[in-house]
Amino acid sequence: MNRFGKTLLVLALVGVVAMAFRVSWNALRDVARVVGADATAATLYPFVVDGLMALALVATLVLTEERDKRFALRVLATYTLASLILNYVHGLVPELHGHAVDWGRLADWDPANWALVLLATSLPVGSIYFGSDLVAKVLHHRPTPSDGSADGRGAGVSAPLPHTPEQPAPEFPHTALTGAPQVTSEPVLAQVSEGADAVRTPHPYTPHALRTPELSAQEQADRQAQFEEAELERMRQDARRTYAESVQAARPLSARALGEAYGMSESWGRKQILAVREGDDSDRPHLVAIGGA
């Protein structure tokens, strides 16, 4: 439905509610006069009852938590039923409008009269209590995201993709760089073999091996540092190989593109390019001029 249709629907609802309030206002005012209210209080009495109904209806539309919404609906149903009973009594006893009945007398049967008087006099007090509670719930209400995520991101919104360079590193057959330092993978292999030994479950019928003493904190830190250094060196070798392959393809990568391709900075990529160039210079033969006598 478009905005014009929604606006028209809301205006129609407001008109119907206003006319229904005017019809109910006459009956509630006469009941308030019979139970002892003066002219001003009797005039304001319908606003206390039907006004709280409107407040409970708005709170039901605003609140989203199930417990608060159920409470607002119960208040709306209770006051709707009370207003209906008082309007029904006014219809059964038309003399209430002309003040032809005794003061405080809404029914001929005493128990029914006591119940009706208690209902009519308790509604203003209940409006104060329930109205304050509803307003407090609405003011302290925090709408929750429709998808329930903790960071407020919609379920249909995908996570941002990682930034990739405009010119990704081309894939070429790996060629060995002449003069490039080779990295030994012994620390990495040692870490992998130790992890495999730790996960391996011993056979129940084989004798248990002797437990090796646990590593100290310093040894663990040294091994972790060796592992990280080996990973960094492997990344450097891959980056240098990628740059060399791009040079062979006559499309050399820039320092920024090379760094972003490996999740590093532009200065890091520049260092790898310089290392490749220095390696190439060291492999070239140096000519020495020999002066004649």
Side-chain angles (χ1 to χ4, degrees):
M1 183 180 293
N2 54 15
R3 177 174 295 182
F4 176 76
K6 292 180 180 179
T7 304
L8 186 62
L9 182 63
V10 172
L11 292 178
L13 175 62
V14 171
V16 171
V17 171
M19 290 184 290
F21 173 77
R22 177 61 185 88
V23 174
S24 177
W25 179 80
N26 188 35
L28 295 179
R29 183 194 58 179
D30 294 340
V31 170
R33 287 178 177 176
V34 172
V35 296
D38 57 9
T40 304
T43 303
L44 298 177
Y45 185 83
F47 293 96
V48 174
V49 180
D50 293 343
L52 184 63
M53 292 169 53
L55 177 62
L57 177 60
V58 174
T60 303
L61 299 177
V62 172
L63 298 174
T64 57
E65 294 187 8
E66 189 65 25
R67 182 179 59 181
D68 296 340
K69 183 182 291 291
R70 190 182 302 112
F71 174 76
L73 285 173
R74 288 176 179 175
V75 174
L76 176 61
T78 302
Y79 269 71
T80 302
L81 181 61
S83 179
L84 176 62
I85 293 174
L86 295 181
N87 278 270
Y88 179 70
V89 171
H90 185 268
L92 290 178
V93 187
E95 294 82 3
L96 293 175
H97 184 68
H99 307 286
V101 298
D102 297 337
W103 179 82
R105 199 71 185 177
L106 294 176
D108 296 334
W109 187 40
D110 289 339
N113 182 67
W114 298 337
L116 291 175
V117 172
L118 177 62
L119 175 64
T121 54
S122 61
L123 289 179
V125 180
S127 296
I128 298 174
Y129 175 77
F130 293 117
S132 302
D133 198 0
L134 288 174
V135 171
K137 290 181 183 300
V138 172
L139 293 180
H140 293 85
H141 172 65
R142 295 291 183 269
T144 56
S146 58
D147 59 344
S149 61
D151 57 354
R153 183 181 297 168
V157 181
S158 58
L161 297 176
H163 178 70
T164 55
E166 296 181 358
Q167 285 186 339
E171 297 182 357
F172 302 102
H174 292 287
T175 57
L177 294 179
T178 333
Q182 300 296 328
V183 183
T184 175
S185 59
E186 293 179 359
V188 180
L189 293 177
Q191 292 285 339
V192 174
S193 61
E194 289 177 3
D197 293 337
V199 175
R200 187 182 297 114
T201 305
H203 196 274
Y205 298 104
T206 56
H208 297 282
L210 296 178
R211 297 183 60 184
T212 57
E214 296 182 357
L215 299 178
S216 62
Q218 182 62 31
E219 293 176 347
Q220 293 180 358
D222 294 341
R223 291 198 175 190
Q224 182 66 22
Q226 292 177 0
F227 178 76
E228 293 177 356
E229 181 61 28
E231 289 294 322
L232 290 176
E233 185 62 27
R234 182 183 60 81
M235 186 183 298
R236 298 190 194 101
Q237 294 298 326
D238 292 342
R240 294 169 187 174
R241 185 181 299 108
T242 301
Y243 176 74
E245 292 172 355
S246 67
V247 172
Q248 292 179 1
R251 289 186 296 177
L253 294 174
S254 63
R256 178 179 181 183
L258 183 62
E260 291 181 350
Y262 288 88
M264 305 298 286
S265 62
E266 182 179 355
S267 61
W268 184 87
R270 188 178 295 108
K271 291 179 182 178
Q272 310 314 312
I273 295 175
L274 292 177
V276 174
R277 292 176 179 175
E278 291 175 359
D280 293 342
D281 293 340
S282 63
D283 293 338
R284 295 175 182 174
H286 298 280
L287 301 179
V288 180
I290 301 176

